[in-house]
Coordinates of all heavy atoms in Angstrom, one line a residue:
M1 N -6.5 -6.6 -4.0 CA -5.3 -6.6 -3.2 C -5.0 -8.1 -2.8 O -5.9 -8.8 -2.3 CB -5.5 -5.8 -1.9 CG -4.3 -5.9 -1.0 SD -4.5 -5.0 0.6 CE -4.8 -3.4 0.0
I2 N -3.8 -8.5 -3.2 CA -3.4 -9.9 -3.0 C -2.1 -9.9 -2.2 O -1.1 -9.2 -2.6 CB -3.2 -10.6 -4.3 CG1 -4.5 -10.6 -5.2 CG2 -2.6 -12.0 -4.1 CD1 -4.3 -11.1 -6.6
T3 N -2.1 -10.6 -1.1 CA -0.8 -10.7 -0.3 C -0.4 -12.2 -0.4 O -1.1 -13.1 -0.1 CB -1.1 -10.3 1.1 OG1 -1.6 -9.0 1.2 CG2 0.2 -10.4 1.9
L4 N 0.9 -12.4 -0.7 CA 1.5 -13.7 -0.8 C 2.4 -13.9 0.3 O 3.2 -13.1 0.7 CB 2.2 -13.8 -2.2 CG 1.4 -13.6 -3.4 CD1 2.3 -13.6 -4.6 CD2 0.3 -14.6 -3.5
D5 N 2.4 -15.1 0.8 CA 3.3 -15.5 1.9 C 4.6 -16.0 1.3 O 4.9 -17.2 1.3 CB 2.7 -16.6 2.8 CG 3.4 -16.7 4.2 OD1 4.1 -15.8 4.6 OD2 3.2 -17.8 4.8
L6 N 5.4 -15.1 0.7 CA 6.7 -15.4 0.1 C 7.8 -14.6 0.6 O 7.5 -13.5 1.2 CB 6.6 -15.1 -1.4 CG 5.6 -16.0 -2.3 CD1 5.5 -15.4 -3.7 CD2 6.0 -17.4 -2.3
Q7 N 9.0 -15.0 0.4 CA 10.1 -14.2 0.8 C 10.2 -12.9 0.0 O 10.4 -11.8 0.5 CB 11.5 -14.9 0.6 CG 12.6 -14.1 1.1 CD 13.9 -14.9 0.9 OE1 14.0 -15.9 0.3 NE2 15.0 -14.4 1.5
S8 N 10.0 -13.0 -1.3 CA 10.0 -11.8 -2.2 C 9.4 -12.2 -3.5 O 9.2 -13.4 -3.8 CB 11.4 -11.2 -2.4 OG 12.2 -12.2 -3.0
I9 N 9.0 -11.2 -4.3 CA 8.6 -11.5 -5.7 C 9.1 -10.3 -6.5 O 9.0 -9.1 -6.2 CB 7.0 -11.6 -5.7 CG1 6.6 -12.0 -7.1 CG2 6.4 -10.3 -5.3 CD1 5.2 -12.5 -7.2
G10 N 9.7 -10.7 -7.7 CA 10.2 -9.7 -8.6 C 9.1 -8.9 -9.3 O 8.0 -9.4 -9.6
D11 N 9.5 -7.7 -9.8 CA 8.5 -6.9 -10.5 C 8.1 -7.6 -11.8 O 6.9 -7.5 -12.2 CB 9.2 -5.5 -10.9 CG 9.3 -4.6 -9.7 OD1 8.7 -4.9 -8.7 OD2 10.1 -3.7 -9.8
G12 N 9.0 -8.3 -12.5 CA 8.6 -9.0 -13.7 C 7.5 -10.0 -13.4 O 6.6 -10.2 -14.2
Y13 N 7.6 -10.8 -12.3 CA 6.6 -11.7 -12.0 C 5.3 -11.0 -11.6 O 4.2 -11.5 -11.9 CB 7.0 -12.7 -10.9 CG 8.0 -13.7 -11.4 CD1 9.3 -13.7 -11.0 CD2 7.5 -14.7 -12.2 CE1 10.2 -14.7 -11.5 CE2 8.4 -15.7 -12.7 CZ 9.7 -15.7 -12.3 OH 10.5 -16.6 -12.8
I14 N 5.4 -9.9 -10.8 CA 4.2 -9.2 -10.4 C 3.4 -8.7 -11.7 O 2.2 -8.9 -11.8 CB 4.5 -8.0 -9.5 CG1 4.9 -8.5 -8.1 CG2 3.3 -7.0 -9.4 CD1 5.4 -7.4 -7.2
N15 N 4.2 -8.2 -12.6 CA 3.6 -7.7 -13.9 C 2.9 -8.9 -14.6 O 1.8 -8.7 -15.2 CB 4.6 -7.0 -14.8 CG 5.1 -5.7 -14.1 OD1 4.4 -5.1 -13.3 ND2 6.3 -5.3 -14.5
H16 N 3.6 -10.0 -14.7 CA 3.1 -11.2 -15.4 C 1.8 -11.7 -14.7 O 0.8 -11.9 -15.4 CB 4.2 -12.3 -15.4 CG 3.7 -13.6 -16.0 ND1 3.4 -13.7 -17.3 CD2 3.5 -14.8 -15.4 CE1 3.0 -15.0 -17.5 NE2 3.1 -15.6 -16.4
F17 N 1.9 -11.8 -13.4 CA 0.7 -12.4 -12.7 C -0.5 -11.4 -12.8 O -1.6 -11.8 -12.9 CB 1.0 -12.6 -11.2 CG 2.0 -13.8 -11.0 CD1 2.9 -13.8 -10.0 CD2 2.0 -14.9 -11.9 CE1 3.8 -14.8 -9.8 CE2 2.9 -15.9 -11.7 CZ 3.8 -15.9 -10.6
T18 N -0.2 -10.1 -12.7 CA -1.2 -9.1 -12.8 C -1.9 -9.1 -14.1 O -3.1 -9.1 -14.2 CB -0.6 -7.7 -12.5 OG1 -0.1 -7.6 -11.2 CG2 -1.7 -6.6 -12.7
K19 N -1.2 -9.3 -15.2 CA -1.7 -9.4 -16.5 C -2.6 -10.7 -16.6 O -3.7 -10.6 -17.2 CB -0.6 -9.5 -17.6 CG -1.1 -9.6 -19.0 CD 0.0 -9.6 -20.0 CE -0.6 -9.7 -21.4 NZ 0.4 -9.9 -22.4
L20 N -2.2 -11.8 -16.1 CA -2.9 -13.0 -16.1 C -4.3 -12.9 -15.4 O -5.3 -13.3 -15.8 CB -2.1 -14.2 -15.6 CG -0.9 -14.7 -16.3 CD1 -0.2 -15.8 -15.6 CD2 -1.3 -15.2 -17.7
I21 N -4.2 -12.3 -14.2 CA -5.4 -12.1 -13.4 C -6.3 -11.1 -14.1 O -7.5 -11.3 -14.1 CB -5.0 -11.5 -12.0 CG1 -4.2 -12.6 -11.2 CG2 -6.2 -11.0 -11.2 CD1 -3.5 -12.1 -10.0
S22 N -5.8 -10.0 -14.7 CA -6.7 -9.1 -15.4 C -7.4 -9.8 -16.6 O -8.6 -9.6 -16.8 CB -5.8 -7.9 -15.9 OG -6.6 -7.0 -16.6
E23 N -6.6 -10.6 -17.3 CA -7.3 -11.3 -18.5 C -8.3 -12.2 -18.0 O -9.4 -12.4 -18.7 CB -6.2 -12.0 -19.3 CG -5.2 -11.1 -20.0 CD -4.1 -11.8 -20.6 OE1 -3.9 -13.0 -20.4 OE2 -3.3 -11.1 -21.3
A24 N -8.1 -12.9 -16.9 CA -9.1 -13.9 -16.4 C -10.3 -13.3 -15.7 O -11.4 -13.9 -15.7 CB -8.4 -14.9 -15.4
T25 N -10.2 -12.1 -15.1 CA -11.3 -11.5 -14.4 C -11.9 -10.3 -15.0 O -13.0 -9.9 -14.6 CB -10.8 -11.1 -13.0 OG1 -9.8 -10.1 -13.1 CG2 -10.2 -12.3 -12.2
G26 N -11.2 -9.6 -15.9 CA -11.7 -8.4 -16.5 C -11.4 -7.2 -15.6 O -11.7 -6.1 -16.0
V27 N -10.7 -7.4 -14.5 CA -10.3 -6.3 -13.6 C -9.1 -5.6 -14.2 O -8.2 -6.3 -14.6 CB -10.0 -6.8 -12.2 CG1 -9.4 -5.7 -11.3 CG2 -11.2 -7.4 -11.5
P28 N -9.1 -4.3 -14.4 CA -8.0 -3.6 -15.0 C -6.7 -3.9 -14.2 O -6.8 -3.9 -13.0 CB -8.4 -2.1 -15.0 CG -9.9 -2.1 -14.8 CD -10.2 -3.4 -14.1
D29 N -5.6 -4.1 -14.9 CA -4.4 -4.5 -14.2 C -3.9 -3.4 -13.2 O -3.3 -3.7 -12.2 CB -3.3 -4.9 -15.2 CG -2.9 -3.8 -16.2 OD1 -3.6 -2.7 -16.2 OD2 -2.0 -4.0 -17.0
N30 N -4.3 -2.1 -13.5 CA -3.8 -1.1 -12.6 C -4.7 -1.0 -11.3 O -4.4 -0.3 -10.4 CB -3.8 0.3 -13.2 CG -5.2 0.7 -13.7 OD1 -6.1 -0.1 -13.9 ND2 -5.3 2.0 -14.0
N31 N -5.7 -1.9 -11.2 CA -6.5 -2.1 -10.0 C -6.1 -3.3 -9.2 O -6.8 -3.6 -8.2 CB -8.0 -2.1 -10.3 CG -8.6 -0.8 -10.8 OD1 -7.9 0.2 -10.7 ND2 -9.7 -0.9 -11.4
I32 N -5.1 -4.0 -9.6 CA -4.6 -5.2 -9.0 C -3.3 -4.9 -8.2 O -2.4 -4.4 -8.8 CB -4.4 -6.4 -10.0 CG1 -5.8 -6.7 -10.7 CG2 -3.9 -7.6 -9.3 CD1 -5.6 -7.6 -11.9
Y33 N -3.3 -5.2 -6.9 CA -2.1 -4.9 -6.1 C -1.6 -6.3 -5.5 O -2.4 -7.0 -4.9 CB -2.4 -3.9 -5.0 CG -1.3 -3.7 -4.1 CD1 -0.3 -2.8 -4.4 CD2 -1.3 -4.3 -2.8 CE1 0.7 -2.5 -3.5 CE2 -0.2 -4.0 -1.9 CZ 0.8 -3.1 -2.3 OH 1.8 -2.9 -1.4
I34 N -0.3 -6.6 -5.8 CA 0.2 -7.8 -5.2 C 1.4 -7.5 -4.3 O 2.3 -6.7 -4.7 CB 0.7 -8.8 -6.4 CG1 -0.5 -9.2 -7.3 CG2 1.4 -10.0 -5.8 CD1 -0.1 -10.0 -8.5
S35 N 1.4 -8.0 -3.1 CA 2.6 -7.8 -2.2 C 2.9 -9.1 -1.5 O 2.2 -10.1 -1.7 CB 2.2 -6.8 -1.2 OG 1.2 -7.3 -0.3
T36 N 4.0 -9.1 -0.8 CA 4.5 -10.3 -0.1 C 4.7 -9.9 1.4 O 4.9 -8.8 1.8 CB 5.8 -10.9 -0.6 OG1 6.8 -9.9 -0.4 CG2 5.7 -11.2 -2.1
T37 N 4.6 -11.0 2.3 CA 4.8 -10.8 3.7 C 6.3 -10.8 4.1 O 6.6 -10.4 5.2 CB 4.1 -11.8 4.5 OG1 4.6 -13.1 4.1 CG2 2.6 -11.7 4.3
H38 N 7.2 -11.3 3.2 CA 8.6 -11.5 3.5 C 8.9 -12.4 4.6 O 9.4 -12.1 5.6 CB 9.3 -10.1 3.7 CG 10.8 -10.3 3.7 ND1 11.5 -10.4 2.5 CD2 11.7 -10.4 4.7 CE1 12.8 -10.6 2.8 NE2 12.9 -10.6 4.1
T39 N 8.5 -13.7 4.4 CA 8.8 -14.7 5.3 C 10.0 -15.5 4.7 O 10.3 -15.5 3.5 CB 7.6 -15.7 5.5 OG1 8.0 -16.8 6.3 CG2 7.2 -16.3 4.1
H40 N 10.8 -16.1 5.6 CA 11.9 -16.9 5.2 C 11.6 -18.4 5.1 O 12.4 -19.2 5.0 CB 13.1 -16.6 6.1 CG 13.7 -15.3 5.9 ND1 14.8 -15.1 5.0 CD2 13.4 -14.1 6.3 CE1 15.1 -13.8 5.0 NE2 14.3 -13.2 5.8
N41 N 10.3 -18.7 5.3 CA 9.8 -20.1 5.2 C 9.2 -20.5 3.9 O 8.7 -21.6 3.8 CB 8.8 -20.3 6.4 CG 9.4 -20.2 7.7 OD1 10.5 -20.6 7.9 ND2 8.7 -19.6 8.6
C42 N 9.3 -19.6 3.0 CA 8.7 -19.8 1.6 C 9.7 -19.3 0.6 O 10.6 -18.6 0.9 CB 7.4 -19.1 1.5 SG 6.1 -19.7 2.5
P43 N 9.5 -19.7 -0.6 CA 10.5 -19.4 -1.7 C 10.4 -17.9 -2.1 O 9.4 -17.2 -1.9 CB 10.1 -20.3 -2.9 CG 8.7 -20.6 -2.7 CD 8.5 -20.6 -1.2
A44 N 11.5 -17.4 -2.6 CA 11.5 -16.1 -3.3 C 11.2 -16.4 -4.8 O 11.6 -17.3 -5.4 CB 12.9 -15.5 -3.2
V45 N 10.4 -15.5 -5.3 CA 10.0 -15.6 -6.7 C 10.5 -14.4 -7.4 O 9.8 -13.4 -7.5 CB 8.5 -15.8 -6.9 CG1 8.1 -15.9 -8.4 CG2 8.0 -17.1 -6.2
N46 N 11.7 -14.4 -7.9 CA 12.3 -13.2 -8.5 C 13.4 -13.6 -9.5 O 13.8 -14.8 -9.5 CB 12.8 -12.1 -7.5 CG 13.8 -12.7 -6.6 OD1 14.7 -13.3 -6.9 ND2 13.5 -12.4 -5.3
T47 N 13.8 -12.7 -10.3 CA 14.8 -13.1 -11.4 C 16.1 -13.4 -10.8 O 16.9 -14.0 -11.4 CB 14.9 -11.9 -12.4 OG1 15.2 -10.7 -11.7 CG2 13.6 -11.8 -13.1
G48 N 16.5 -12.9 -9.6 CA 17.8 -13.1 -9.0 C 17.9 -14.4 -8.2 O 19.0 -14.8 -7.8
S49 N 16.8 -15.1 -8.0 CA 16.8 -16.4 -7.3 C 16.8 -17.6 -8.2 O 16.5 -17.5 -9.4 CB 15.6 -16.4 -6.3 OG 14.4 -16.4 -7.0
Q50 N 17.0 -18.7 -7.6 CA 16.9 -19.9 -8.4 C 15.5 -20.1 -8.8 O 14.6 -20.1 -8.0 CB 17.4 -21.1 -7.5 CG 17.3 -22.4 -8.2 CD 17.8 -23.6 -7.4 OE1 18.0 -23.4 -6.2 NE2 17.9 -24.7 -7.9
K51 N 15.3 -20.3 -10.1 CA 13.9 -20.4 -10.6 C 13.3 -21.8 -10.4 O 14.0 -22.8 -10.5 CB 13.9 -20.0 -12.1 CG 14.2 -18.6 -12.3 CD 14.2 -18.3 -13.8 CE 14.6 -16.8 -14.0 NZ 14.6 -16.5 -15.4
N52 N 12.1 -21.8 -10.0 CA 11.4 -23.1 -9.9 C 10.1 -23.0 -10.7 O 9.1 -22.5 -10.3 CB 11.0 -23.3 -8.4 CG 10.3 -24.6 -8.2 OD1 9.7 -25.2 -9.1 ND2 10.4 -25.2 -7.0
S53 N 10.2 -23.4 -12.0 CA 9.2 -23.1 -13.0 C 7.9 -23.8 -12.6 O 6.8 -23.3 -12.8 CB 9.6 -23.5 -14.4 OG 10.0 -24.9 -14.4
R54 N 8.0 -25.0 -11.9 CA 6.8 -25.7 -11.5 C 6.0 -24.9 -10.4 O 4.8 -24.8 -10.4 CB 7.1 -27.1 -11.0 CG 5.8 -27.9 -10.8 CD 6.2 -29.4 -10.5 NE 6.8 -29.5 -9.2 CZ 7.2 -30.6 -8.6 NH1 7.2 -31.7 -9.3 NH2 7.7 -30.6 -7.4
Y55 N 6.8 -24.4 -9.5 CA 6.2 -23.6 -8.4 C 5.5 -22.3 -9.0 O 4.4 -21.9 -8.6 CB 7.2 -23.2 -7.3 CG 6.6 -22.4 -6.2 CD1 5.9 -23.0 -5.2 CD2 6.7 -21.0 -6.2 CE1 5.3 -22.3 -4.2 CE2 6.1 -20.3 -5.2 CZ 5.4 -20.9 -4.2 OH 4.8 -20.1 -3.2
V56 N 6.2 -21.6 -9.9 CA 5.7 -20.4 -10.5 C 4.4 -20.7 -11.3 O 3.4 -19.9 -11.2 CB 6.8 -19.7 -11.4 CG1 6.1 -18.6 -12.2 CG2 7.9 -19.2 -10.6
A57 N 4.4 -21.8 -12.0 CA 3.1 -22.2 -12.7 C 2.0 -22.5 -11.7 O 0.8 -22.1 -11.9 CB 3.4 -23.4 -13.6
Q58 N 2.3 -23.2 -10.6 CA 1.3 -23.5 -9.6 C 0.8 -22.2 -8.9 O -0.4 -22.0 -8.7 CB 1.8 -24.4 -8.5 CG 2.0 -25.8 -9.0 CD 2.7 -26.7 -7.9 OE1 3.3 -26.2 -7.0 NE2 2.5 -28.0 -8.1
L59 N 1.7 -21.2 -8.7 CA 1.3 -20.0 -8.1 C 0.4 -19.2 -9.1 O -0.6 -18.6 -8.6 CB 2.6 -19.2 -7.8 CG 2.4 -17.8 -7.2 CD1 1.6 -17.9 -5.9 CD2 3.8 -17.1 -6.9
A60 N 0.8 -19.2 -10.3 CA -0.1 -18.4 -11.3 C -1.5 -19.0 -11.3 O -2.5 -18.3 -11.3 CB 0.6 -18.5 -12.7
T61 N -1.6 -20.4 -11.4 CA -2.9 -21.0 -11.4 C -3.7 -20.7 -10.1 O -4.9 -20.3 -10.2 CB -2.7 -22.5 -11.5 OG1 -2.1 -22.8 -12.7 CG2 -4.1 -23.3 -11.4
A62 N -3.0 -20.7 -8.9 CA -3.7 -20.4 -7.7 C -4.1 -18.9 -7.6 O -5.2 -18.6 -7.1 CB -2.8 -20.7 -6.5
L63 N -3.3 -18.0 -8.1 CA -3.6 -16.6 -8.2 C -4.9 -16.3 -9.0 O -5.8 -15.6 -8.7 CB -2.5 -15.7 -8.6 CG -1.3 -15.5 -7.6 CD1 -0.1 -14.9 -8.3 CD2 -1.8 -14.7 -6.5
I64 N -4.9 -17.0 -10.2 CA -6.0 -16.8 -11.1 C -7.3 -17.3 -10.5 O -8.4 -16.7 -10.4 CB -5.8 -17.4 -12.5 CG1 -4.7 -16.6 -13.2 CG2 -7.0 -17.5 -13.3 CD1 -4.1 -17.4 -14.4
S65 N -7.2 -18.6 -10.0 CA -8.4 -19.2 -9.4 C -8.9 -18.4 -8.1 O -10.1 -18.2 -8.0 CB -8.0 -20.6 -8.9 OG -9.1 -21.2 -8.2
G66 N -8.0 -18.0 -7.3 CA -8.3 -17.2 -6.1 C -9.0 -15.9 -6.5 O -9.9 -15.5 -5.8
S67 N -8.4 -15.3 -7.5 CA -9.0 -14.0 -7.9 C -10.4 -14.1 -8.5 O -11.2 -13.3 -8.2 CB -8.0 -13.4 -9.0 OG -6.8 -13.1 -8.4
I68 N -10.6 -15.2 -9.3 CA -11.9 -15.4 -9.8 C -12.9 -15.7 -8.7 O -14.0 -15.1 -8.7 CB -11.9 -16.6 -10.8 CG1 -11.2 -16.2 -12.1 CG2 -13.3 -17.1 -11.2 CD1 -10.8 -17.3 -13.0
N69 N -12.5 -16.5 -7.7 CA -13.4 -16.8 -6.6 C -13.7 -15.5 -5.7 O -14.8 -15.3 -5.3 CB -12.8 -17.9 -5.7 CG -12.8 -19.2 -6.4 OD1 -13.6 -19.5 -7.3 ND2 -11.9 -20.1 -6.0
A70 N -12.6 -14.7 -5.5 CA -12.8 -13.5 -4.7 C -13.7 -12.5 -5.4 O -14.6 -11.9 -4.8 CB -11.4 -12.9 -4.4
L71 N -13.6 -12.4 -6.7 CA -14.5 -11.5 -7.5 C -15.9 -12.0 -7.4 O -16.8 -11.2 -7.2 CB -14.0 -11.4 -8.9 CG -14.6 -10.4 -9.8 CD1 -14.4 -9.0 -9.3 CD2 -14.1 -10.5 -11.2
A72 N -16.1 -13.3 -7.5 CA -17.5 -13.8 -7.4 C -18.1 -13.6 -6.0 O -19.3 -13.5 -5.9 CB -17.5 -15.3 -7.8
D73 N -17.3 -13.6 -5.0 CA -17.8 -13.5 -3.6 C -17.6 -12.1 -3.0 O -17.7 -12.0 -1.8 CB -17.0 -14.6 -2.7 CG -17.4 -16.0 -3.0 OD1 -18.4 -16.2 -3.6 OD2 -16.6 -16.9 -2.7
R74 N -17.3 -11.2 -3.8 CA -17.0 -9.8 -3.3 C -18.2 -9.2 -2.6 O -19.3 -9.5 -2.8 CB -16.5 -8.9 -4.4 CG -17.5 -8.5 -5.4 CD -16.9 -7.7 -6.5 NE -17.9 -7.3 -7.5 CZ -18.2 -8.0 -8.5 NH1 -17.7 -9.2 -8.7 NH2 -19.1 -7.5 -9.4
A75 N -17.8 -8.3 -1.6 CA -18.8 -7.6 -0.8 C -18.2 -6.2 -0.5 O -17.0 -6.1 -0.5 CB -19.1 -8.4 0.5
A76 N -19.0 -5.3 -0.2 CA -18.6 -4.0 0.2 C -17.7 -4.1 1.4 O -17.9 -4.9 2.3 CB -19.8 -3.1 0.5
A77 N -16.6 -3.3 1.4 CA -15.7 -3.2 2.6 C -15.1 -1.9 2.7 O -15.1 -1.1 1.8 CB -14.6 -4.3 2.4
T78 N -14.6 -1.6 3.9 CA -13.9 -0.3 4.2 C -12.5 -0.7 4.6 O -12.3 -1.5 5.4 CB -14.6 0.5 5.3 OG1 -16.0 0.7 4.9 CG2 -13.9 1.7 5.6
M79 N -11.5 0.0 4.0 CA -10.1 -0.3 4.3 C -9.6 1.0 5.0 O -9.8 2.1 4.6 CB -9.3 -0.5 3.1 CG -7.9 -0.9 3.4 SD -6.9 -1.2 1.9 CE -7.7 -2.6 1.3
K80 N -8.9 0.8 6.1 CA -8.3 1.9 6.8 C -6.8 1.5 7.1 O -6.4 0.4 7.0 CB -9.0 2.1 8.2 CG -10.5 2.5 8.0 CD -11.1 2.7 9.4 CE -12.5 3.1 9.2 NZ -13.2 3.4 10.5
T81 N -6.1 2.6 7.3 CA -4.7 2.4 7.6 C -4.4 3.1 8.9 O -5.1 4.0 9.4 CB -3.7 3.0 6.5 OG1 -4.0 4.4 6.4 CG2 -4.0 2.3 5.2
G82 N -3.3 2.8 9.5 CA -2.9 3.4 10.8 C -1.4 3.5 10.9 O -0.7 2.8 10.1
Q83 N -0.9 4.2 11.8 CA 0.6 4.3 12.0 C 0.8 4.6 13.5 O 0.1 5.4 14.1 CB 1.1 5.4 11.1 CG 2.6 5.6 11.2 CD 3.1 6.7 10.3 OE1 2.5 7.1 9.3 NE2 4.3 7.1 10.6
F84 N 1.8 3.9 14.0 CA 2.2 4.2 15.4 C 3.7 3.8 15.5 O 4.3 3.1 14.7 CB 1.4 3.4 16.4 CG 1.5 1.9 16.2 CD1 2.4 1.2 17.0 CD2 0.7 1.2 15.3 CE1 2.5 -0.2 16.8 CE2 0.8 -0.1 15.2 CZ 1.7 -0.9 15.9
E85 N 4.3 4.3 16.6 CA 5.7 4.1 16.8 C 5.9 3.2 18.0 O 5.2 3.4 19.0 CB 6.5 5.4 17.0 CG 8.0 5.3 17.1 CD 8.7 6.6 17.1 OE1 8.2 7.5 16.4 OE2 9.7 6.7 17.8
T86 N 6.8 2.2 17.9 CA 7.0 1.4 19.1 C 8.5 1.4 19.4 O 9.4 1.8 18.6 CB 6.7 -0.1 18.7 OG1 7.4 -0.6 17.6 CG2 5.2 -0.2 18.4
Q87 N 8.9 1.0 20.6 CA 10.3 1.0 21.0 C 10.6 -0.5 21.3 O 9.9 -1.1 22.2 CB 10.5 1.9 22.2 CG 10.2 3.3 22.0 CD 11.2 3.9 21.0 OE1 12.4 3.6 21.0 NE2 10.8 4.8 20.2
G88 N 11.7 -1.0 20.7 CA 12.2 -2.3 21.1 C 11.4 -3.5 20.7 O 11.6 -4.6 21.1
L89 N 10.4 -3.3 19.8 CA 9.5 -4.4 19.3 C 10.2 -5.2 18.3 O 10.2 -6.4 18.3 CB 8.2 -3.9 18.8 CG 7.2 -4.9 18.3 CD1 6.8 -5.8 19.4 CD2 6.0 -4.2 17.7
N90 N 10.9 -4.6 17.4 CA 11.5 -5.3 16.2 C 12.8 -4.6 15.9 O 13.0 -3.4 16.3 CB 10.6 -5.3 15.0 CG 10.9 -6.3 14.0 OD1 11.9 -7.0 14.1 ND2 10.1 -6.5 13.0
Y91 N 13.7 -5.3 15.3 CA 15.0 -4.7 14.9 C 15.5 -5.3 13.7 O 15.1 -6.4 13.3 CB 16.0 -4.8 16.1 CG 16.2 -6.3 16.5 CD1 17.2 -7.1 15.9 CD2 15.4 -6.8 17.5 CE1 17.3 -8.4 16.3 CE2 15.6 -8.1 17.9 CZ 16.6 -8.9 17.3 OH 16.7 -10.2 17.7
T92 N 16.5 -4.6 13.0 CA 17.1 -5.2 11.9 C 18.2 -6.1 12.3 O 18.6 -6.2 13.5 CB 17.7 -4.0 11.0 OG1 18.8 -3.4 11.8 CG2 16.7 -3.0 10.6
R93 N 18.8 -6.8 11.3 CA 19.9 -7.8 11.7 C 21.1 -7.1 12.2 O 22.0 -7.7 12.8 CB 20.2 -8.6 10.4 CG 19.1 -9.5 10.0 CD 19.5 -10.4 8.8 NE 18.5 -11.3 8.5 CZ 17.6 -11.0 7.5 NH1 17.6 -9.9 6.9 NH2 16.6 -11.9 7.2
N94 N 21.3 -5.8 12.0 CA 22.4 -5.0 12.4 C 22.2 -4.3 13.7 O 22.9 -3.4 14.1 CB 22.9 -4.0 11.3 CG 23.3 -4.8 10.1 OD1 23.9 -5.9 10.1 ND2 23.0 -4.2 8.9
Y95 N 21.2 -4.7 14.4 CA 20.9 -4.0 15.7 C 21.9 -4.4 16.8 O 22.3 -5.6 16.9 CB 19.5 -4.5 16.2 CG 19.0 -3.9 17.5 CD1 18.5 -2.6 17.5 CD2 19.2 -4.6 18.7 CE1 18.1 -2.0 18.7 CE2 18.8 -4.0 19.8 CZ 18.3 -2.7 19.9 OH 17.9 -2.2 21.0
Y96 N 22.3 -3.4 17.5 CA 23.3 -3.7 18.6 C 22.7 -3.1 19.9 O 22.2 -2.0 19.9 CB 24.6 -3.0 18.3 CG 25.3 -3.6 17.0 CD1 25.2 -2.9 15.8 CD2 26.0 -4.8 17.1 CE1 25.8 -3.4 14.7 CE2 26.6 -5.3 16.0 CZ 26.5 -4.6 14.8 OH 27.0 -5.2 13.6
Y97 N 22.8 -3.8 20.9 CA 22.3 -3.4 22.2 C 23.1 -2.3 22.8 O 24.2 -2.2 22.7 CB 22.2 -4.6 23.2 CG 21.2 -5.6 22.8 CD1 21.6 -6.7 22.0 CD2 19.9 -5.5 23.1 CE1 20.7 -7.6 21.6 CE2 19.0 -6.4 22.7 CZ 19.4 -7.5 22.0 OH 18.5 -8.4 21.6

């Protein structure tokens, strides 16, 4: 599981990065999950945005290196999920009082 602090990432790039990570680590590509946090302080990496090939190349290198290091340092872990409902904590841009 890899989480990137990016605005967004297109499926084409996810597939590309997943393949590179799989080739470098031997982890099957269907066992690699990449997501983003959707921040507006970092670039979007998708086909509809202005492409920055140097950034994409640096990202690919960092993903491969980080994945190799994570695999070497892996340890048993338990993952859990939860769900709850809140009122007034967050809203969409079209929220009206």
